[in-house]
Amino acid sequence: MTVSSTNTKNSYNGDNSTTSFAYTFPIHSTAELQVIERSANGTETVKSLGSHYSITDNGASGGQVVFGSAPASGVTVVLLRNTNLTQEVDYIENDAFPAETHEAAIDKLTLQIQEAQEELDRSIKLS
């Protein structure tokens, strides 16, 4: 897979009827997608996979988050990629070079850097 998008999150307004929301970025596992409901007063509630929503993952193009009940009007639904910060690739000396494994590891690093950059872009900076 290549990482051709820098998008790390999608936000939608709840309307008391829509239950399906698209995310437009790749994830490695459904555990790496964080679903947050933000109320009008700014209170954030992290939702639970299986209890509050399900995921249909379409690979590199993203997928759909489907809520069991529609988020209320005035609520913002935030779909945020939250890639775990582990490194699971272990190369074996004198084995054939595993190109697909290597590419997946580089892709994961790219996703992690994009998420850090998204947070940096929202931070207060001093000269």
Side-chain angles (χ1 to χ4, degrees), residues 29-45:
S29 74
T30 57
E32 293 183 348
L33 181 65
Q34 190 172 32
V35 177
I36 302 167
E37 280 188 2
R38 184 180 302 133
S39 69
N41 69 6
T43 303
E44 293 187 348
T45 305

Side-chain angles (χ1 to χ4, degrees), residues 62-105:
Q64 296 287 321
V65 170
V66 181
F67 282 84
S69 58
S73 294
V75 167
T76 302
V77 175
V78 180
L79 310 178
L80 180 67
R81 187 178 62 216
N82 188 18
T83 306
N84 66 51
L85 300 177
T86 59
Q87 194 289 100
E88 299 156 352
V89 175
D90 185 23
Y91 295 111
I92 308 295
E93 191 172 337
N94 296 319
D95 265 7
F97 184 73
E100 289 296 320
T101 302
H102 185 70
E103 184 179 10

Side-chain angles (χ1 to χ4, degrees), residues 47-66:
K47 296 302 187 176
S48 299
L49 177 61
S51 298
H52 300 111
Y53 65 92
S54 61
I55 294 175
T56 302
D57 185 26
N58 298 326
S61 63
Q64 296 287 321
V65 170
V66 181

Side-chain angles (χ1 to χ4, degrees), residues 5-8 10 20 23 26 29 31 36 50 57 59 61 67 76 86 101 120 125:
S5 170
T6 59
N7 190 23
T8 62
N10 296 112
S20 185
Y23 62 93
S29 74
I36 302 167
D57 185 26
S61 63
F67 282 84
T76 302
T86 59
T101 302
L120 283 170
K125 299 171 186 90

